[in-house]
Amino acid sequence: MIVDLYVPYRGRKDPRSEDLRSAVERVCFLGRVRPERLAEYRARHERVWPEMLAALREAGWGNYSLFLTEDGLLVGYLETRDYRAALGGMAATEVNARWQREMAPFFTELDGLLPDQGFKRVDEIFHVD
């Protein structure tokens, strides 16, 4: 027996409606955390600054998650209406500039870029709701 645990969004559009799904851009990106800094990187994300969280929400970063493997592969996922606008919104904040400067030493393969500029975006090739 399949049980539908769906609870309607009160006061907002149903996220399963076609017009909302098509308006959401799903973004996945990859990075690589230095093996010797994994524990500290995890700890930093247990206490992300409240002003950073607020800036992400205001810039349109929804359903944002980071996943980290034991060998340092970082996988990020977010949903937004416009990824370029969401990046631009964050780039315009002072808190993001501070966060990116502090996080940059944790990563390999950035070629001198800050993390939010140097991560590799992954193409979505399949999705099912």
Side-chain angles (χ1 to χ4, degrees):
M1 176 169 79
I2 298 174
V3 178
D4 187 359
L5 297 177
Y6 171 72
V7 177
Y9 277 36
R10 293 182 185 97
R12 298 189 322 201
K13 282 191 170 189
D14 179 337
R16 297 183 302 181
S17 69
E18 185 60 36
D19 62 328
L20 185 61
R21 280 196 311 260
S22 63
V24 172
E25 186 176 358
R26 289 176 298 276
V27 178
C28 180
F29 59 85
L30 303 176
R32 176 73 57 185
V33 177
R34 297 179 185 285
E36 69 275 12
R37 310 268 328 246
L38 288 172
E40 185 182 359
Y41 187 80
R42 287 178 186 276
R44 292 280 186 106
H45 284 83
E46 289 174 5
R47 55 183 191 279
V48 175
W49 308 328
E51 62 269 29
M52 183 63 171
L53 296 173
L56 287 164
R57 287 185 191 100
E58 289 170 18
W61 291 59
N63 198 23
Y64 182 31
S65 298
L66 293 175
F67 303 88
L68 184 62
T69 65
E70 292 303 317
D71 68 351
L73 176 65
L74 180 74
V75 178
Y77 176 83
L78 67 114
E79 295 173 353
T80 186
R81 293 208 181 264
D82 181 341
Y83 184 51
R84 289 198 183 278
L87 282 174
M90 287 305 293
T93 67
E94 182 277 333
V95 68
N96 186 62
R98 279 190 292 128
W99 182 266
Q100 297 304 319
R101 280 192 308 271
E102 286 201 19
M103 293 296 108
F106 287 88
F107 293 98
T108 65
E109 306 169 7
L110 290 179
D111 297 323
L113 298 172
L114 292 174
D116 63 350
Q117 300 165 346
F119 289 150
K120 179 178 178 10
R121 185 165 177 185
V122 180
D123 292 335
E124 179 180 83
I125 63 163
F126 178 77
H127 175 81
V128 65
D129 274 327

